[in-house]
Amino acid sequence: MNIQTLLLSSTLALGSIFGTIGSAEARSAYCNIGAPGDSAQTVYCDHYLPSTGNHVVYMNGSRFEFNLYDSGRAEISVDSQSFVPGTWQYHSQGGIQVTNNSSGYFFIFER
């Protein structure tokens, strides 16, 4: 089972994501993904910030969408599945860290 499958293991309902990336510019970078208690795995990724304000990150062949709110609350979707709840904060190295509330898996990507 891969990390993307485990990330949303608590949610099997499929949903659709409204909107498209449109003319947003991609920023190629390295992102980190990890499980609770494990070291983060560094992977190559493309980060978009569309006009909708959500963050879209392509990594390991999957599309991750993150909705971040001022309160520290986040919503996470992988490959157009339903959003699951999470939290976000600025990482000590300046990126954004998003954590899935139910599985504990986390992502770190550059702003």
Side-chain angles (χ1 to χ4, degrees):
M1 194 174 295
N2 63 34
I3 290 176
Q4 289 85 2
T5 302
L6 290 173
L7 173 72
L8 292 178
S9 61
S10 64
T11 303
L12 297 177
L14 295 176
S16 62
I17 296 174
F18 299 100
T20 60
I21 290 175
S23 62
E25 293 292 323
R27 288 187 313 166
S28 298
Y30 288 97
C31 295
N32 295 293
I33 186 169
D38 288 342
S39 297
Q41 172 189 0
T42 301
V43 296
Y44 180 79
C45 64
D46 286 317
H47 178 206
Y48 295 83
L49 186 57
S51 61
T52 57
N54 53 349
H55 294 264
V56 177
V57 178
Y58 288 90
M59 64 180 142
N60 286 353
S62 291
R63 180 185 192 272
F64 294 80
E65 185 171 352
F66 303 100
N67 294 328
L68 309 179
Y69 300 92
D70 290 338
S71 64
R73 184 174 68 91
E75 296 172 326
I76 306 161
S77 174
V78 178
D79 293 332
S80 299
Q81 293 186 18
S82 294
F83 283 92
V84 296
T87 57
W88 77 273
Q89 63 187 11
Y90 291 111
H91 188 262
S92 61
Q93 296 177 349
I96 294 174
Q97 179 172 335
V98 181
T99 304
N100 180 308
N101 285 352
S102 56
S103 69
Y105 277 84
F106 63 89
F107 302 88
I108 302 169
F109 55 91
E110 295 179 10
R111 295 188 263 169

